[in-house]
Amino acid sequence: MEMGEVTEQGAEQVSMDMEDAVIRTENLSKTYKRWFRPGTCALNDLTITVPKGSIFGFLGPNGAGKTTTIKILMDLIKCTAGKAYVLGKPSYDVDVKAKIGFLPDSPAFSPQLTAYEFLNICAKLLRLPSEVRPGRIEEVLSDVKMADHARDKIGSFSRGMLQRVGVAQALLNKPELLILDEPLLGLDPFGRQEFKNIILSQRERGTSVFFSSHILSDVEEICDRIAILNKGRLLCTGRLDELLSANGATVTIAPGHDDILKDLITTASGTSRQPDGAWVLNFEHLESVKPRLDELAGSFPEAVKVSAGHEKLEDFFFRCLENDRSKAAMDDEAK
Ligand SMILES: Nc1ncnc2c1ncn2[C@@H]1O[C@H](COP(=O)(O)OP(=O)(O)O)[C@@H](O)[C@H]1O
Ligand SMILES: [Mg+2]
C-alpha cells in the first residue's frame, strides 16, 4: 500500500510502504471530555509517518499534543478519531508492545530500589527468562553508562542518572522502536550529550527512535526527520535537511552600499547589522528575490554576497509557530 506524507510547505509528497513505517498516524484526533463544558481538543487530524531506521523529533510548545499522541501510540489512552499504527499493527495490538521501548514523560521510580533491582522487576514484567535477565540488565546498564551504579539506590541518583535508568528500562527487550517523551528535559549539556550518543548507538543497531523534545539544537544534531505540532495541529513534517534548506537565502551587503540596502530591505524577512557596518538580510523564499539578487551580485560583486540559507532549526521552528499565529489571527478577524 502506498502512503503519502504531506507537509504544510506544500511540496513534499513522500510515498512510503506501510511496512517501512514504524509509526503511522492517519487523521488522528483526541478530545479530552470535560463535565458540562466543551472538551479540550488536544490533537486535531494528525497524519505523520516515521520511517524505519529514522530518528524522529516530535516538536512543539507545551500543550501542543505531543504526550497525547505518544499515549495513543502506547495505547494508554484511546483516540477520538483517526488511526494509529505502530510497527505495522494497530497501536492497541498487544504483540507490538514487546517490540517497543517506552520512556514516559515523568517516570516514577521507587527510591528504595537499586538500579539493578528496578531493572530486574521490569525484566520480569517483560517476561525475560530468568537465565538471561542478569546478563541483559548488565548490558543495558553498560549501554547507558550506569554499570558502576547497578547496586546504588535510585533515591541517590541525579536527574541525568534517573533518565539513564529510564532509558535502560526501555532498552531491556531489545526494542525495534524506542518511543521517548521529553527524554532531554532537565538534563545538563553533559547529560544531553550522553543521551544523544546512546540514541545514535541505538540507531546503529537498527532501532528506530521517536522522541518529543523542546531542545531544538539537540534535535537538529541527531534527528533526520521532524514534525512540528502546535495546538494539536501539525504545522509541518518531513526530512530535516529538506525542510531547512528549502528555505531562503542570506545576503550580506558590505558597508557603504545604502542604495542596495534600500532596494532589498523591504522584502527581507529579517535584518541585522554586523559590527563592521555590513548588513545581513534574510529572505524566506529565495525564488521571489533570486533574479534581483543575481543582478545585484553581478553588478556589485564586492558589495553583495549571497549564500543559500541553511536555516537553523530554532529559527525555522519559531517561524512556523509565528506563521501559524498570524494565520489564526487573520482567521479570527475574518469571522
Ligand atoms: N488528561 C487530560 N485531560 C484534559 N486535558 C488534557 C489531559 N491531558 C492533556 N490535556 C490537554 O491537552 C493538550 C495537549 O497536552 P499534551 O499532549 O500533554 O501536550 P504536550 O505534551 O505537547 O505538552 C493541553 O491543552 C492539555 O492541557
Ligand atoms: Mg508532554
Side-chain angles (χ1 to χ4, degrees):
M1 184 176 28
E2 288 286 302
M3 292 285 177
E5 180 183 54
V6 183
T7 69
E8 241 198 15
Q9 265 40 42
E12 199 191 33
Q13 187 84 32
V14 179
S15 290
M16 195 171 294
D17 277 329
M18 186 68 183
E19 289 93 76
D20 289 336
V22 286
I23 294 175
R24 166 84 187 159
T25 71
E26 291 172 12
N27 311 103
L28 199 65
S29 300
K30 172 73 184 177
T31 301
Y32 290 104
K33 294 204 175 72
R34 295 193 299 179
W35 292 105
F36 308 114
R37 280 184 293 169
T40 309
C41 180
L43 199 60
N44 191 353
D45 216 21
L46 178 73
T47 298
I48 53 168
T49 304
V50 179
K52 193 173 177 188
S54 55
I55 301 184
F56 194 103
F58 195 42
L59 315 177
N62 279 333
K66 304 181 297 294
T67 297
T68 298
T69 307
I70 288 176
K71 283 183 176 166
I72 296 171
L73 293 173
M74 292 306 300
D75 197 35
L76 298 172
I77 57 172
K78 297 287 174 201
C79 60
T80 324
K83 294 197 171 101
Y85 300 95
V86 179
L87 299 172
K89 300 262 174 64
S91 57
Y92 49 78
D93 188 302
V94 271
D95 293 339
V96 160
K97 295 285 168 298
K99 300 176 188 167
I100 311 175
F102 174 49
L103 180 68
D105 62 344
S106 38
F109 302 97
S110 175
Q112 307 302 331
L113 298 175
T114 66
Y116 187 95
E117 286 165 346
F118 167 72
L119 291 171
N120 199 34
I121 294 172
C122 299
K124 283 183 187 174
L125 291 172
L126 288 167
R127 297 172 187 265
L128 291 190
S130 56
E131 63 277 13
V132 305
R133 253 183 260 145
R136 186 65 196 141
I137 293 171
E138 296 297 334
E139 246 170 58
V140 292
L141 279 170
S142 115
D143 282 350
V144 300
K145 310 276 183 307
M146 285 288 285
D148 294 344
H149 299 283
R151 309 288 162 189
D152 295 346
K153 286 220 160 69
I154 288 180
S156 70
F157 288 172
S158 68
R159 167 90 194 149
M161 290 161 88
L162 285 177
Q163 204 68 332
R164 281 188 267 162
V165 173
V167 175
Q169 162 278 134
L171 295 177
L172 272 173
N173 56 340
K174 300 191 178 168
E176 286 176 36
L177 168 65
L178 276 172
I179 298 183
L180 314 170
D181 198 354
E182 301 280 359
L184 296 160
L185 203 69
L187 298 187
D188 60 17
F190 184 69
R192 280 163 32 205
Q193 192 54 50
E194 286 203 326
F195 172 82
K196 285 182 275 181
N197 292 340
I198 294 169
I199 294 303
L200 291 169
S201 65
Q202 286 303 311
R203 198 227 333 239
E204 270 163 35
R205 291 179 194 181
T207 314
S208 311
V209 185
F210 178 82
F211 75 101
S212 67
S213 183
H214 281 101
I215 305 179
L216 300 170
S217 55
D218 292 333
V219 169
E220 186 164 8
E221 218 176 293
I222 59 171
C223 291
D224 42 30
R225 284 175 176 264
I226 59 160
I228 300 180
L229 212 59
N230 189 33
K231 296 183 180 159
R233 283 184 308 105
L234 180 69
L235 300 188
C236 67
T237 182
R239 286 179 57 99
L240 192 58
D241 52 0
E242 288 174 8
L243 288 173
L244 298 186
S245 70
N247 290 289
T250 302
V251 178
T252 310
I253 302 169
H257 289 274
D258 288 357
D259 40 343
I260 304 177
L261 181 66
K262 272 190 211 141
D263 194 335
L264 291 173
I265 201 161
T266 49
T267 44
S269 60
T271 55
S272 60
R273 197 160 192 200
Q274 307 281 62
D276 66 354
W279 281 86
V280 178
L281 308 185
N282 300 310
F283 294 89
E284 281 181 20
H285 302 291
L286 181 58
E287 301 78 44
S288 54
V289 283
K290 192 157 187 322
R292 186 76 193 114
L293 282 176
D294 286 346
E295 210 176 292
L296 286 168
S299 320
F300 307 95
E302 279 82 58
V304 180
K305 296 252 170 323
V306 183
S307 52
H310 178 81
E311 206 173 5
K312 277 213 180 85
L313 176 59
E314 191 155 332
D315 297 334
F316 179 76
F317 178 80
F318 287 114
R319 197 159 55 74
C320 281
L321 292 186
E322 196 43 55
N323 287 347
D324 192 47
R325 258 177 225 134
S326 33
K327 217 166 88 191
M330 267 157 63
D331 289 349
D332 281 351
E333 255 171 44
K335 273 181 201 163

